Amino acid sequence: NHTYYQTRTSHIFRNGGGTNTFTIDSSGNFSSDVRKKENISTINNALTKVSQLRGVEFKWKEEYGNKEDMGLIAQEVETVLPRLVSDSPDPVGAEKENEDGTPMKMMNYNGLFAVTVEAIKELKSKIETLEGESIKLKEENAALRERVTNLEGE
């Protein structure tokens, strides 16, 4: 069982043991304190993972708001980043939302930020490597042009 509390400035979610599992403040900030985390490691191959995702434009079906939007498809993300996708919990006693009786999927978009940050860092590293190679090639090209000019002048 989870409990939800709302104060003037935040929303607090607690597990059955009474421990705050996460907090959202009035600015939309989520709790992210290192003291709540363990087994921390940097995400590997983030660029490969992000490259497999497909950003989409779509319109929500009428019963879900009927508005234009952008995002990802949870079922597609689940094949690449399964930790970011979970089954949507149905309220106790409610019928399944999905007509085929399977639970709807929900996405942890906040978790996607971490993958994106690491992917950007990987891109930055590749760009820096390419820039260094480009400078080296330009220097070699300039030296070769000078040699050709000197040989033509002889």
Side-chain angles (χ1 to χ4, degrees):
N1 280 354
H2 288 80
T3 308
Y4 164 75
Y5 296 94
Q6 182 174 349
T7 68
R8 269 208 238 136
T9 59
S10 63
H11 303 274
I12 302 167
F13 298 84
R14 292 188 177 151
N15 63 20
T19 303
N20 291 353
T21 53
F22 69 94
T23 303
I24 306 170
D25 72 12
S26 59
S27 297
N29 298 313
F30 283 79
S31 57
S32 185
D33 196 294
V34 71
R35 293 170 291 184
K36 291 184 174 185
K37 302 172 184 181
E38 59 186 9
N39 302 323
I40 298 168
S41 62
T42 302
I43 299 166
N44 293 316
N45 303 312
L47 185 56
T48 300
K49 292 170 183 167
V50 168
S51 296
Q52 294 175 58
L53 300 178
R54 179 174 70 116
V56 296
E57 297 178 303
F58 61 92
K59 184 176 180 182
W60 289 100
K61 292 181 179 180
E62 189 172 337
E63 63 266 31
Y64 300 110
N66 199 34
K67 71 173 196 141
E68 302 286 327
D69 210 344
M70 293 181 206
L72 302 169
I73 304 298
Q75 288 83 346
E76 294 176 6
V77 173
E78 192 170 31
T79 65
V80 180
L81 299 162
R83 289 185 196 176
L84 299 185
V85 179
S86 59
D87 291 344
S88 178
D90 289 318
V92 176
E95 293 186 31
K96 295 285 184 194
E97 289 184 78
N98 206 352
E99 51 277 352
D100 67 3
T102 61
M104 293 288 192
K105 299 289 184 179
M106 53 194 296
M107 277 242 353
N108 172 3
Y109 277 93
N110 284 332
L112 190 57
F113 293 131
V115 180
T116 305
V117 165
E118 291 306 313
I120 290 168
K121 288 163 59 176
E122 287 178 23
L123 278 174
K124 181 180 180 286
S125 176
K126 288 178 185 258
I127 290 168
E128 288 171 348
T129 298
L130 290 171
E131 286 174 338
E133 290 174 1
S134 176
I135 290 168
K136 183 179 176 188
L137 288 171
K138 285 178 182 178
E139 290 170 351
E140 289 174 1
N141 190 24
L144 288 171
R145 284 179 186 246
E146 186 177 333
R147 285 182 64 194
V148 167
T149 301
N150 290 340
L151 287 172
E152 288 175 344
E154 290 181 4

